[in-house]
Amino acid sequence: MKEEQLQKPAFIFGKKNYIFMIIGILCIALGFIFMAGGGSNDPNFFNKEIYNWQRIRLAPTLVIIGLGIEIYAILLNPKK
């Protein structure tokens, strides 16, 4: 078999798709980081920080936005 006939393996997605995927993963990771914490070491003490706006509103919104970015990255046509 000649070397001219060998084809290079092609990626499924283009560079733009992978950039959007990385942005989406970072957004999801940031959302989960914002959700972390707020617990208490003492079971007799209730920490009201668990109901902070950061954990209730911001973190889930970031995760949903990140998932939307991931869907966009998958559906994005790399040829255009």
Side-chain angles (χ1 to χ4, degrees):
M1 193 176 221
K2 294 182 180 180
E3 290 183 28
E4 298 168 0
Q5 293 177 349
L6 295 177
Q7 295 179 357
K8 292 182 181 179
F11 289 109
I12 296 174
F13 299 116
K15 183 178 179 181
K16 193 173 184 181
N17 295 81
Y18 288 114
I19 291 171
F20 276 108
M21 284 183 190
I22 291 171
I23 292 170
I25 289 171
L26 290 175
C27 189
I28 292 170
L30 188 64
F32 278 107
I33 289 170
F34 282 157
M35 274 190 225
S40 176
N41 294 332
D42 183 13
N44 296 323
F45 175 72
F46 181 74
N47 189 357
K48 292 188 180 191
E49 283 296 312
I50 199 163
Y51 295 120
N52 190 354
W53 70 272
Q54 175 179 316
R55 291 183 183 91
I56 298 295
R57 302 271 186 214
L58 180 64
T61 304
L62 281 175
V63 172
I64 291 172
I65 289 171
L67 290 173
I69 293 171
E70 289 295 321
I71 292 170
Y72 175 75
I74 291 170
L75 296 177
L76 182 66
N77 189 355
K79 307 276 190 243
K80 289 185 180 180

